[in-house]
Amino acid sequence: MELQGRTAIVTGGNSGIGAAIVAELGARGANVVIDYVTGAPAADALEAQVEGTGAQAITVEADVSKVADLQRLVDSALQRFGRLDVMVNNAGIETRTSVLDTTEDQYDRVLAVNLKSAFFGTQLAAKAMIASGAGGVVINVSSVHEDWPMPGNTPYCLSKGGMRMLTRTAAQELGPHRIRVVGVGPGAIATPINAATLANPDELRILDAAIPLGRMARPEEVAHVVAFLAGDGADYVTGSTFFVDGGLMHSSPGL
Ligand SMILES: NC(=O)c1ccc[n+]([C@@H]2O[C@H](COP(=O)([O-])OP(=O)(O)OC[C@H]3O[C@@H](n4cnc5c(N)ncnc54)[C@H](O)[C@@H]3O)[C@@H](O)[C@H]2O)c1
């Protein structure tokens, strides 16, 4: 198993893409720290699922918008498993608000959960990896919207655009420590964050038609790419984002 003996932290690890990443990393042998902020039963079920495959897992309740909580995640990995090899900054929210109607609270919350968390998650994981001398990899789950404007979802786009530059800049700084920093940019994935779209057949039909591969993705299809990037097969990969979007970002519907 290619990730046997490695330890990974997955933020927002009990739902959607994060849950699929936890399951995939565990299936490839990694021990996993499953971060959650609500939904303890789902986190516990995933812990049992990972342990059923022979790897080990723990759940840690941590709000990633708080640096002290992120530090607790890193400390938990080191205390329980003695090392940290893979940090997956996956937790994310959106407000679906525009430039004109976003409130200060909405702005602060989206930027804190999506971008501040990834910045300090990267920093704290990197410090642990440097202390171990073994290097490691940070994987930032951004979005096609790190590059592709989405009117009506401005704070989200800002946060993902920030993650893009975090990935590129931190890769430069941390490369000499043998720490890779990569981005994974999902397109439209069938998870709770898209509950409204999934519940609206007309909206879903329009979305599917805009995707060259003709459908939304399953969370597992993102997790496969994350697991590949976490492994030695990707050991010369850093500073770039890999889009898992069925061709959506570069499609030209109706043109
Ligand atoms: N689903 C998509 O189409 C899609 C597309 C592009 C990018 N993404 C990104 O993928 C990531 C995962 O989203 P998802 O689709 O699985 O949605 P989701 O709502 O299922 O998962 C989001 C996770 O983040 C957690 N979270 C929210 N606030 C948190 C906080 N303060 N501290 C810790 N955890 C917190 C939630 O509890 C949940 O576990 C997000 O960063 C999202 O922006 C999703």
Side-chain angles (χ1 to χ4, degrees):
M1 294 217 271
E2 62 174 306
L3 297 177
Q4 192 135 29
R6 312 265 172 100
T7 300
I9 294 172
V10 182
T11 69
N14 66 340
S15 175
I17 292 169
I21 294 170
V22 167
E24 188 64 32
L25 295 179
R28 297 188 191 207
N31 300 321
V32 189
V33 176
I34 306 167
D35 161 59
Y36 71 98
V37 71
T38 57
D44 291 342
L46 265 172
E47 178 183 356
Q49 184 182 334
V50 171
E51 302 224 320
T53 66
Q56 294 176 296
I58 55 170
T59 63
V60 178
E61 183 181 352
D63 177 345
V64 297
S65 68
K66 298 178 179 158
V67 177
D69 282 28
L70 286 165
Q71 183 67 64
R72 198 151 44 74
L73 281 176
V74 172
D75 291 346
S76 300
L78 298 178
Q79 279 157 16
R80 178 67 176 81
F81 301 118
R83 57 189 291 161
L84 175 60
D85 306 279
V86 182
M87 178 76 190
V88 184
N89 292 312
N90 164 77
I93 57 170
E94 59 182 12
T95 51
R96 297 267 173 163
T97 54
S98 70
V99 171
L100 294 180
D101 60 25
T102 298
T103 66
E104 182 178 1
D105 281 351
Q106 287 171 325
Y107 178 95
D108 286 346
R109 190 75 196 136
V110 172
L111 271 290
V113 173
N114 296 8
L115 182 58
K116 178 186 171 190
S117 69
F119 179 85
F120 285 102
T122 300
Q123 180 191 80
L124 298 176
K127 285 183 177 177
M129 291 167 184
I130 291 167
S132 79
V137 55
V138 175
I139 299 172
N140 291 320
V141 178
S142 65
S143 166
V144 289
H145 298 298
E146 72 165 44
D147 197 40
W148 193 34
M150 181 179 183
N153 210 3
T154 309
Y156 183 80
C157 293
L158 258 65
S159 71
K160 297 301 184 179
M163 285 180 98
R164 175 186 178 86
M165 285 312 295
L166 169 64
T167 295
R168 279 147 189 68
T169 311
Q172 304 280 317
E173 293 183 1
L174 299 176
H177 299 285
R178 293 194 297 127
I179 298 170
R180 299 185 290 111
V181 187
V182 294
V184 171
I189 320 297
T191 72
I193 212 171
N194 285 320
T197 304
L198 289 164
N200 183 332
D202 290 337
E203 206 180 312
L204 200 52
R205 222 178 352 264
I206 292 166
L207 176 61
D208 285 349
I211 301 170
L213 290 185
R215 61 173 176 84
M216 294 178 87
R218 291 176 289 109
E220 293 75 18
E221 293 176 298
V222 180
H224 292 155
V225 176
V226 170
F228 166 71
L229 291 168
D232 293 343
D235 65 4
Y236 200 61
V237 174
T238 195
S240 296
T241 301
F242 294 80
F243 293 104
V244 185
D245 69 345
L248 175 63
M249 201 162 112
H250 297 297
S251 68
S252 308
L255 297 179

